[in-house]
Amino acid sequence: DLETCEDKLLLATNKLDKAATAADDSDRMRKVLESRAQQDEERMGKLEEELKGARNQAEDADKKYDEVAKRLQQVEGELERAEERAEVGEIKIVELEEELRVVANNLKSLEVSEEKANQREASYKEQIKTLSAKLKQAEARAEFSERSVLKLQTEVDRLEDELVGEQEKYKAITEELEQTFAEMSGY
């Protein structure tokens, strides 16, 4: 019976060493994963606490061997899941880095576009200023032209009236001359 206990103790000690080694590996892996994925940090903290619990349980391995074995299996499963999550986290980091590069390129393009737009806006403002000045000049010329046209129209109307009067005088003189010629021819 003592040999059986010693065998169990030896077996438990071996498993304890393996557990300690696995715990050390897990702890190192946790530190690596912490730097790669912040989301895994909380999970790794729980895992570390569980590993500490496993170490405490391993000290009483002769009494709690079955519990330690079950707990160790759980810890190994969680470590495996943590490693899987770490791999997923690494993939996400690569994807986010690529997305960041795309966003940076888009930002550079937008900055260039904004600069060009600002240049065009300044050019348009200058053109608007020039065209506004030309418009004012054209409006002033148009107003002057309208006044000139009005004056000229008034002058044309006066001259037309004068022409009609002169035509009537001419007609009267012509009739008078014809009458005079007729009278002179009649005598």
Side-chain angles (χ1 to χ4, degrees):
D1 196 31
L2 181 61
E3 283 183 25
T4 304
C5 284
E6 286 178 356
D7 289 343
K8 283 184 179 181
L9 180 59
L10 184 61
L11 188 58
T13 305
N14 286 340
K15 288 202 174 200
L16 177 61
D17 288 342
K18 286 181 183 178
T21 302
D24 289 343
D25 291 344
S26 295
D27 196 39
R28 266 186 252 115
M29 183 58 72
R30 181 189 55 80
K31 288 178 182 177
V32 169
L33 294 176
E34 275 179 353
S35 67
R36 292 189 181 160
Q38 284 185 324
Q39 293 177 348
D40 291 342
E41 190 173 352
E42 292 177 17
R43 294 179 186 129
M44 292 302 290
K46 289 178 184 178
L47 184 60
E48 187 177 11
E49 290 300 316
E50 290 170 3
L51 284 173
K52 286 180 183 177
R55 283 187 194 126
N56 292 336
Q57 290 174 2
E59 291 173 2
D60 300 328
D62 56 334
K63 298 175 186 175
K64 301 177 181 178
Y65 170 75
D66 290 336
E67 292 177 22
V68 170
K70 288 178 186 177
R71 189 70 189 136
L72 184 58
Q73 287 176 348
Q74 288 176 342
V75 169
E76 287 173 349
E78 288 175 4
L79 177 60
E80 196 172 305
R81 287 190 296 276
E83 287 172 347
E84 289 171 4
R85 287 191 302 266
E87 288 175 11
V88 169
E90 288 173 359
I91 291 170
K92 285 183 181 177
I93 286 171
V94 169
E95 290 171 355
L96 289 173
E97 285 174 347
E98 182 59 30
E99 190 175 331
L100 182 62
R101 278 193 288 276
V102 169
V103 168
N105 288 337
N106 289 344
L107 183 60
K108 287 178 186 173
S109 297
L110 287 174
E111 288 172 352
V112 169
S113 296
E114 181 184 12
E115 181 63 30
K116 287 180 180 177
N118 288 339
Q119 291 173 355
R120 284 195 306 270
E121 182 182 2
S123 171
Y124 292 157
K125 283 182 180 177
E126 189 61 35
Q127 288 178 8
I128 287 170
K129 189 177 176 183
T130 302
L131 291 174
S132 295
K134 286 182 179 180
L135 176 63
K136 285 181 183 178
Q137 290 174 356
E139 286 174 345
R141 285 196 311 269
E143 190 177 321
F144 176 76
S145 297
E146 286 173 0
R147 285 196 306 266
S148 296
V149 164
L150 189 61
K151 286 179 185 177
L152 290 173
Q153 187 63 45
T154 304
E155 182 66 19
V156 166
D157 290 346
R158 186 188 65 76
L159 289 174
E160 283 177 348
D161 291 344
E162 196 175 303
L163 176 62
V164 168
E166 291 299 319
Q167 285 175 340
E168 287 175 1
K169 284 182 189 177
Y170 175 75
K171 187 176 177 185
I173 291 173
T174 304
E175 287 175 0
E176 191 178 321
L177 279 175
E178 285 177 3
Q179 187 178 5
T180 304
F181 284 134
E183 288 176 6
M184 287 172 56
S185 312
Y187 285 114

